[in-house]
Amino acid sequence: MGGSNREPETMISAGIDIGTSTTKLIISRFSLMNVAGTTHVPKIEIVDKEVLYKSPIFRTPLTNPSTINVVEIEKIVRSEYAKAGIVASQIATGAVIITGETATKQNASEMLHYLSGEVGDFLVATAGPDLEGIIAAKGSGAYDYSSRSGKVIANIDIGGGTANIAVYKDKVLLGTCTLHIGGRLIEFHEGKVNSISPPVQKLLTEQNVLLHVGDNPESRNIKFVIDFMAESLGRILKNDVQEKDEVLLLGHHPNWHEKIDTLVFSGGISECMYNHEPDKGQKSNYDDIGVQLAKALQRNEALQSYSWLEPVETVRATVLGAGTQTTEISGATIQVASDELPLKNIPVYNYAFGENLQTGLENFEIAVKNAIDIYDAAREGQNFALYISELPYMGFRDIQKLAAAIIQVMEQRPDPDQPIVLILQTDHAKVLGQTLIAMQVRQSVICIDQITVEHGDYMDIGRALESGVVPVVVKTLTFHSS
């Protein structure tokens, strides 16, 4: 798709969200087109995203309280593919994500990577709570609204086990935070308390409040827990974390610094507020505190002090974001060894030249050694992508100097035969990649540009498309524990 070819190329994306309470799937089609003029360097962009199929909302199958039923998950996915009229080999990108308390199950990581290989060429398989919040904000509409409004928007995605907060302004992520707040943290069966999650049990202990399995669902101590969750969320949003709130934090403290203007709630608890789904009975008969929690959030004075915006999607926000918002497209003038793709879960090390090639080259070797120490401390052969930023203007001799330095330093890796993976901030990928090949570098070369990454990110690079570009997903890959 170069030069004068203006016909769009399409690819199929899938999103699968396996949450504490529910599992759902979405199939989308992306249209890619060269948006540059006929006399310019091709610039391929996603110009349209169309949702082709939304699955029903399934109860997440477990074999026991600590193990996901992988066989049943795979059955659901394959059955929904058939209903959508697609096969796994058509999936070019997308995400399998596991969210909330389900991410703490014993086989969570294994299941994700199994699915990402068995039911499609997925570029993301992750359970990171920060990434969950980011994806949900894009699926709910909060991300787009932050640009249109100029306001600081907090998207709060609350499902069965966690509340994932992502704060945006003008589509820039200001911070994230995850809390043990969710509908299934206390469950009922046959008119009695059936289960109390460990975080809630710890909260009860710290607050000297008694609640036991077998107690009445109308117990005032359940109301205490629900109201505490709402009040704690109000404090967290104001960055006023008190000692008593620590029990609900999952990971780091809130890390945004600007005052929040508007709240958007998504997730299953949001569905209890807005009733977007046509099948009302399916989601309300879960015998848990979800409906009560939604009402507590709606009546909480601290939360009501913000403006509220109704989401575009409620319970489907995360899966919509996963299926439509995770993929970027590389530059069109790149150099990739197609037989090495796809690459998954490649950590990114950022090395900035500071606009001075000579000074940058003098410290290049030390930088690569640091990358090895960070990502392959045990010297087991974990590869990494080198993000080269702040390059000065370079002539061809400068490109040759840089290529020679890359060849030399990449030999220091514990497994130097692995592909050399480079991401360039500037539009030099093709010329640098071709220079490396002309200099008879012995490794395969994957050199791309027009992708924004940060130090510590992970990235997946998909198979090259007909247009010569590659789909890329940049992510933070984290599995959390209970």
Side-chain angles (χ1 to χ4, degrees):
M1 192 196 309
S4 61
N5 185 356
R6 309 293 292 183
E7 291 299 313
E9 179 181 1
T10 62
M11 65 177 179
I12 301 295
S13 172
I16 302 172
D17 176 14
I18 304 164
T20 306
S21 303
T22 61
T23 292
K24 48 270 187 195
L25 176 147
I26 194 166
I27 305 292
S28 305
R29 178 167 54 215
F30 296 169
S31 296
L32 285 70
M33 184 174 283
N34 178 12
V35 298
T38 56
T39 60
H40 293 78
V41 173
K43 181 175 177 58
I44 312 301
E45 290 185 356
I46 297 172
V47 293
D48 187 45
K49 299 175 184 179
E50 177 188 4
V51 174
L52 301 179
Y53 179 77
K54 293 181 181 180
S55 78
I57 297 173
F58 298 92
R59 183 73 175 265
T60 297
L62 303 175
T63 55
N64 59 56
S66 62
T67 310
I68 304 163
N69 191 325
V70 179
V71 173
E72 288 302 313
I73 291 286
E74 185 176 359
K75 282 182 182 178
I76 289 172
V77 173
R78 292 194 183 278
S79 172
E80 294 306 301
Y81 279 6
K83 292 176 186 176
I86 66 162
V87 295
S89 60
Q90 292 177 269
I91 305 295
T93 186
V96 184
I97 59 173
I98 185 165
T99 56
E101 290 291 298
T102 313
T104 68
K105 304 305 181 188
Q106 292 177 355
N107 62 337
S109 175
E110 293 82 359
M111 187 208 65
L112 281 171
H113 293 290
Y114 172 78
L115 285 180
S116 70
E118 289 295 313
V119 297
D121 195 8
F122 291 99
L123 295 188
V124 179
T126 186
D130 286 347
L131 185 59
E132 290 169 33
I134 290 166
I135 290 175
K138 292 181 177 180
S140 74
Y143 172 80
D144 286 334
Y145 183 72
S146 74
S147 175
R148 297 196 307 271
S149 67
K151 296 181 181 296
V152 178
I153 313 296
N155 192 83
I156 307 154
D157 189 77
I158 310 180
T162 57
N164 301 102
I165 306 169
V167 180
Y168 279 94
K169 181 179 181 181
D170 294 327
K171 292 188 174 181
V172 175
L173 181 67
L174 302 182
T176 58
C177 188
T178 301
L179 305 171
H180 289 292
I181 295 176
R184 299 196 65 78
L185 297 183
I186 300 176
E187 297 179 278
F188 311 124
H189 182 64
E190 295 182 349
K192 294 180 180 180
V193 173
N194 185 56
S195 68
I196 305 169
S197 71
V200 170
Q201 191 61 66
K202 188 175 180 182
L203 167 64
L204 292 165
T205 301
E206 289 185 2
Q207 296 297 317
N208 294 314
V209 175
L210 295 179
L211 183 67
H212 303 97
V213 170
D215 283 358
N216 191 312
E218 303 301 319
S219 166
R220 64 180 183 179
N221 290 341
I222 292 177
K223 183 178 185 301
F224 168 84
V225 170
I226 294 168
D227 288 342
F228 185 96
M229 288 178 175
E231 292 162 6
S232 183
L233 177 59
R235 291 188 289 269
I236 296 292
L237 291 171
K238 291 180 178 177
N239 243 311
D240 178 25
V241 183
Q242 299 180 11
E243 185 176 353
K244 61 184 177 181
D245 299 317
E246 297 279 351
V247 67
L248 294 184
L249 281 173
L250 198 170
H252 61 79
H253 279 224
N255 53 9
W256 56 87
H257 302 291
E258 295 199 38
K259 183 176 179 290
I260 293 168
D261 300 308
T262 301
L263 305 184
V264 178
F265 283 90
S266 61
I269 299 303
S270 170
E271 177 59 22
C272 295
M273 299 174 180
Y274 297 107
N275 299 311
H276 281 193
E277 289 296 312
D279 184 1
K280 304 290 194 299
Q282 177 174 301
K283 59 189 173 302
S284 61
N285 295 324
Y286 281 160
D287 270 351
D288 57 34
I289 60 171
V291 173
Q292 298 174 64
L293 177 59
K295 291 178 179 177
L297 296 171
Q298 288 174 303
R299 66 173 178 257
N300 181 270
E301 289 186 12
L303 297 177
Q304 288 302 320
S305 68
Y306 299 94
S307 64
W308 285 39
L309 179 71
E310 184 169 342
V312 174
E313 292 281 347
T314 55
V315 69
R316 297 177 188 270
T318 306
V319 74
L320 181 67
T324 63
Q325 301 291 339
T326 54
T327 302
E328 298 180 48
I329 300 298
S330 75
T333 52
I334 60 176
Q335 181 68 46
V336 295
S338 295
D339 58 338
E340 298 285 358
L341 300 176
L343 289 177
K344 299 185 179 183
N345 301 332
I346 302 295
V348 175
Y349 185 88
N350 181 15
Y351 181 64
F353 273 73
E355 308 297 338
N356 187 306
L357 182 65
Q358 188 56 42
T359 302
L361 290 176
E362 289 171 2
N363 297 303
F364 201 28
E365 184 175 352
I366 295 172
V368 171
K369 286 181 178 178
N370 286 339
I372 294 169
D373 288 341
I374 291 171
Y375 295 124
D376 195 16
R379 302 302 192 264
E380 295 174 341
Q382 166 66 57
N383 203 4
F384 59 91
L386 187 62
Y387 176 46
I388 300 176
S389 62
E390 297 181 17
L391 282 169
Y393 171 80
M394 293 191 297
F396 183 63
R397 290 191 180 278
D398 295 325
I399 293 288
Q400 287 181 312
K401 285 183 182 179
L402 178 58
I406 289 169
I407 292 172
Q408 180 180 345
V409 299
M410 287 300 175
E411 287 294 327
Q412 298 177 7
R413 294 175 298 169
D415 183 1
D417 293 328
Q418 290 181 314
I420 296 174
V421 184
L422 305 170
I423 308 104
L424 299 187
Q425 184 183 44
T426 52
D427 191 15
H428 286 104
K430 192 172 189 68
V431 65
L432 179 60
Q434 290 183 338
T435 302
L436 286 165
I437 291 170
M439 296 174 74
Q440 299 185 335
V441 62
R442 66 188 184 87
Q443 298 93 340
S444 300
V445 174
I446 296 164
C447 190
I448 64 175
D449 55 28
Q450 294 188 27
I451 295 293
T452 301
V453 289
E454 296 181 4
H455 186 74
D457 283 341
Y458 283 70
M459 66 185 300
D460 298 340
I461 306 174
R463 300 186 191 281
L465 304 176
E466 292 179 10
S467 51
V469 299
V470 290
V472 176
V473 172
V474 181
K475 59 190 177 178
T476 300
L477 186 68
T478 309
F479 281 87
H480 58 267
S481 60
S482 55

